[in-house]
Amino acid sequence: LMEWGVNLNARKFNELRTQADRKGAALKSRLDELRALKVEQEALQKMCAADSAEATRTKELVGSIECVSDEIDKRLHYRRQLEHLLRRLQKNQVAITSHVNR
């Protein structure tokens, strides 16, 4: 009877040790993943920080793109105005020509 109790407790101990080893391995892999994510986050924060050269260059380029885009919009608006004026002049020219020919 005592041997049976010892065997039962040994089996429980072995099962618990196996579970603990599995959980320890899972914890280790998650800690490794957490460390990798922290390193990646730090790199991204440095890249997005205003003091890095890449971030400064990116902000300059975005500002330049906005200026050029505004200039393009202004020129397109001016072009549409000129095209409208041309159509009006052509229409008036036809009206004047038909009036003079009468």
Side-chain angles (χ1 to χ4, degrees), residues 4 20 22 58 77:
W4 179 80
R22 262 189 261 127
T58 302
H77 180 68

Side-chain angles (χ1 to χ4, degrees), residues 83-97:
E83 288 172 347
H84 175 71
L85 182 63
L86 178 63
R87 283 192 304 272
R88 284 185 58 201
L89 289 174
Q90 288 172 344
K91 181 181 173 186
N92 289 342
Q93 182 65 36
V94 170
I96 290 173
T97 303

